[in-house]
Amino acid sequence: MPTTLREMISHRELRMRLIAGAEAGDAVMSTPVNWVHSSDLQDPTPWLEPGQVLLTNGAQFPAITTAGQAKGRALAGAYVTRLHDSGVLALGFAAGIVTDSVPAELIEACDEAGLPLIEIDPTTPFIAIIRFVADVISDDRRSRLEWSLEAQRAVARAALRADGLPAILLELSRRLGCWVALYDSARNVLTVPGLAPMPGELRADIDEAVHASLARGARGSVRVADEGVGYTMQTLGQTGHLLGVLVVGTMTPLDPAENDLVGSVIGLASIALEQRRALDAARRRLRTGLFELLLSGVVDVADRTATSLWGPLPEEPVHVSVVTGTVTGQSLFDELELAAARPEEACSSPSVVTRYSSSHASRKILRRYCSAMVSVSDARRPFGGQICRAG
């Protein structure tokens, strides 16, 4: 982590002390220092960025000390206000070079604005302060890079396990120290034993946001932060072919190292979900072939094949749902496959689904009739009716 004002001032070799604008225990003293810049201009703000410390030897301040008390206060107040409004973190003043001491008007202005004022020993080179901060920033970046590489190696090792996708999510949660949730393309959360749960009060809002993201069908990332709540959502897959959404619950935005890790997880999770979808499609095609055999009356061949793959064909009665309409994608098949894997929603007898429509009405019908599917098929052999139940 970059150095803070408190750490920088406490570094003895720099010979610095806080004289105005804040107390040693104030929160601002724990703020990271992004950089240190030196300037003696009356208005250096065009060359400064928020979070920086400005160093000066006071060459611009003789006018303040000789202008009279009222005008000197006004000039010092305007100078400090410009720095404060531009996001400058603190002002460092090297006394004994141009002025004998830090101008009283400047001390007063910093106290009023709440801008930390640091007195620097005249024997301390500004370059020493700059080098100190630069070295800390460099060390922090190197440390974060090493953390990122080690975390990505750990995630890659997790991907090689038999339970690759759950292991990846567990490793991501452990490395980031936060809860993680993965939604599939049918908006279902992947259940992973041992994974920190999503806060219950956020579930409805996140479900809605995930639904909207998948409905758009475009790749994207969203950061949500409000009243003690924070999480980042990133889609998996390509535009027009989204595989799901990864949600990472962190109170603060991810830093570059953490973003790199999440990017690696998204890549590995996308591969896992794509492989799972391809495997499901292959199984579906096989079931379709078996269903065609049954429709053709070749029951013995279908029975032997099914027994070798999944076990005996189900006992009667069997529910058959037939939905006519235009095939527009895989989303309904995905939902039905996931429903079939949830035994807590199963009905008392097995079901078969064939030829479907992606309409809202068809989805409602299929959710009602087909929660205990034995087969999901896109067989095209016609049935006598739009929806039928047979047993």
Side-chain angles (χ1 to χ4, degrees):
M1 180 178 179
T3 189
T4 64
L5 277 179
R6 184 179 294 107
E7 292 167 347
M8 185 179 72
I9 293 173
S10 63
H11 192 68
R12 292 185 177 181
E13 293 181 3
L14 298 180
R15 297 180 293 279
M16 307 166 72
R17 68 186 184 99
L18 179 67
I19 61 173
E23 299 292 336
D26 290 352
V28 67
M29 301 303 295
S30 299
T31 305
V33 177
N34 293 338
W35 192 247
V36 178
H37 183 71
S38 64
S39 174
D40 297 324
L41 295 175
Q42 286 285 354
D43 183 12
T45 55
W47 296 274
L48 300 176
E49 295 179 354
Q52 294 183 344
V53 173
L54 175 65
L55 307 179
T56 181
N57 59 25
Q60 70 275 43
F61 289 112
I64 293 177
T65 57
T66 60
Q69 188 175 30
K71 189 174 181 180
R73 285 179 176 175
L75 291 173
Y79 176 81
V80 170
T81 298
R82 286 192 294 270
L83 299 183
H84 184 271
D85 291 349
S86 67
V88 168
L89 187 59
L91 174 64
F93 192 100
I97 298 176
V98 177
T99 62
D100 294 333
S101 61
V102 180
E105 296 85 353
L106 184 62
I107 295 175
E108 182 180 347
C110 286
D111 277 332
E112 290 180 356
L115 180 70
L117 178 60
I118 303 166
E119 184 178 14
I120 304 171
D121 190 281
T123 62
T124 299
F126 284 176
I127 189 61
I129 301 173
I130 295 172
R131 184 181 293 115
F132 170 78
V133 173
D135 288 345
V136 173
I137 292 175
S138 177
D139 290 344
D140 178 67
R141 288 177 176 172
R142 183 174 60 253
S143 174
R144 294 304 291 163
L145 177 59
E146 292 172 351
W147 177 90
S148 178
L149 292 175
E150 171 55 28
Q152 290 184 55
R153 283 193 289 266
V155 166
R157 288 193 296 268
L160 298 177
R161 293 173 46 176
D163 58 340
L165 187 53
I168 288 171
L169 297 178
L170 285 169
E171 189 64 32
L172 176 63
S173 177
R174 187 176 74 84
R175 294 285 173 168
L176 296 183
C178 66
W179 61 266
V180 172
L182 178 62
Y183 286 76
D184 58 32
S185 59
R187 306 185 299 279
N188 296 291
V189 180
L190 181 67
T191 301
V192 179
L195 188 64
M198 179 193 312
E201 64 273 15
L202 300 180
R203 182 62 184 266
D205 290 339
I206 293 177
D207 283 352
E208 182 179 352
V210 167
H211 175 76
S213 181
L214 292 174
R216 284 193 298 270
R219 296 178 61 188
S221 176
V222 176
R223 171 71 189 169
V224 176
D226 182 39
E227 297 181 358
V229 173
Y231 56 89
T232 301
M233 297 172 45
Q234 295 197 31
T235 58
L236 283 72
Q238 302 297 321
T239 297
H241 185 61
L242 295 184
L243 302 172
V245 176
L246 178 67
V247 187
V248 179
T250 57
M251 293 302 301
T252 57
L254 301 175
D255 67 18
E258 292 167 336
N259 270 318
D260 287 344
L261 177 60
V262 170
S264 296
V265 168
I266 287 177
L268 292 170
S270 296
I271 293 172
L273 290 174
E274 190 64 62
Q275 289 175 339
R276 178 179 294 183
R277 176 175 284 190
L279 183 58
D280 288 341
R283 289 169 177 165
R284 189 180 301 130
R285 287 192 293 270
L286 184 55
R287 287 195 296 265
T288 297
L290 292 178
F291 194 40
E292 291 281 7
L293 289 175
L294 291 172
L295 293 176
S296 301
V298 191
V299 178
D300 56 340
V301 175
D303 189 29
R304 289 196 303 272
T305 304
T307 299
S308 66
L309 294 173
W310 300 296
L313 291 175
E315 298 292 334
E316 297 181 355
V318 176
H319 296 168
V320 179
S321 300
V322 185
V323 182
T324 61
T326 303
V327 176
T328 59
Q330 293 294 114
S331 61
L332 184 56
F333 271 162
D334 290 340
E335 290 193 35
L336 294 173
E337 293 280 6
L338 290 164
R342 291 194 291 265
E344 69 275 8
E345 297 183 5
C347 59
S348 59
S349 57
S351 304
V352 175
V353 182
T354 185
R355 196 171 183 182
Y356 67 94
S357 165
S358 60
S359 68
H360 180 66
S362 299
R363 289 173 185 269
K364 291 181 64 177
I365 292 170
L366 295 176
R367 286 195 183 103
R368 176 181 177 185
Y369 284 97
C370 305
S371 60
M373 291 170 292
V374 167
S375 175
V376 179
S377 168
D378 58 359
R380 293 293 185 256
R381 185 177 295 273
F383 286 78
Q386 188 174 13
I387 297 290
C388 65
R389 295 188 68 193

